[in-house]
Amino acid sequence: PGWAASGGRSDAAIVALGGGVRSVLIMGGADQFGRLFNDVHISTDGGITWQTALRHAPWTQRRGHAAAAAATCCTVVLLGGLAEAMFGTYELQADVWISQDQGSTWIQRSFSNSWGARMGHAVTFATDSVLYLAGGLGCRSNRPCGIGGQRSQPELPRSDVWRSGDQGITWHEVIAAAGLPQWPSRHAHSLLADRATGGSLYIVAGSGPRGPLQDVWRSGDQGVTWYPQNLTAAFPPRSHHVAVVSPDDSAMFVLGGLDSSKNALGDVWVSLDHGNTWSQRASLPYARYSFGAVVDAYGAILILGGTPFSSTVDAAACLV
């Protein structure tokens, strides 16, 4: 595929479009030479063939950004990440972009947001208009945040939750209830939502101040209160993994990632009780991290890119 022309893609944003279409988008990311991209590629047949929707989107080249697709076709929102700046430097972003035509055109919703510039964050749609953002890696100071050029280094993992009721135009922080448990700060984690059965949000694993995590947290009240489903899940601690849910919300999957020794993982785990208990399934074709995985309209799990770099698209039935 075109997105793999330079040997693969890592740290990209990947979404499956809603509305029963079998379309998948891959947006931006880095190749094996460290070059960043702002392109958009689309497959309408479950990853078999690919077309370039945009070689240069209006948002800057970036990696570590996040994107989410609404349940009905064809709204996609892209947020934040580490973008190219000037003279070989990079800067964290707090912008929001939206496409409503399968990634062909983009409109900037906002340049800067109260949730602040960050990368390694996670986002999900709960409904077609309600969007959540959680966690990520930011900076401790108010100086421009990024890499090079006197910028503050991204080193602060966050534990905040933000909600938008208008597809990313305006945002409000969801303040946690006092005196109740709160998931630890993290980045390179997963945020999931029950869409078919309604209501619940989940935080799965990620990288915290002391390294990779193996926990699952659940909120049933729009992110106000969180309760641990499992603080030491059966899967090993990990970050830079992917977690997905089946179309009917009956199964949750955790795939690959980076372990505590910085080794790539290729294992697959499934939970049939909303993250309480886990069992292992057949492994991925090869170990990887910073990759993308989505469940398409047919219920197949598609796995794209990642590190070590590969130009393949792998698919598996969403079997439990």
Side-chain angles (χ1 to χ4, degrees), residues 73-124:
C73 191
C74 296
T75 298
V76 179
V77 178
L78 182 145
L79 313 89
L82 184 68
E84 283 190 353
M86 298 176 64
F87 309 114
T89 63
Y90 303 89
E91 189 167 320
L92 287 190
Q93 305 295 306
D95 53 351
V96 176
W97 296 79
I98 187 170
S99 172
Q100 295 178 315
D101 58 3
Q102 303 188 7
S104 295
T105 60
W106 294 84
I107 298 172
Q108 189 170 20
R109 288 290 207 194
S110 54
F111 173 75
S112 181
N113 286 283
S114 48
W115 41 263
R118 64 183 70 194
M119 65 184 296
H121 47 296
V123 299
T124 188

Side-chain angles (χ1 to χ4, degrees), residues 260-285:
S260 301
S261 300
K262 298 190 181 303
N263 296 314
L265 297 166
D267 51 351
V268 175
W269 296 79
V270 64
S271 173
L272 303 179
D273 55 9
H274 304 285
N276 283 295
T277 60
W278 295 84
S279 57
Q280 194 166 5
R281 294 294 188 262
S283 296
L284 301 176

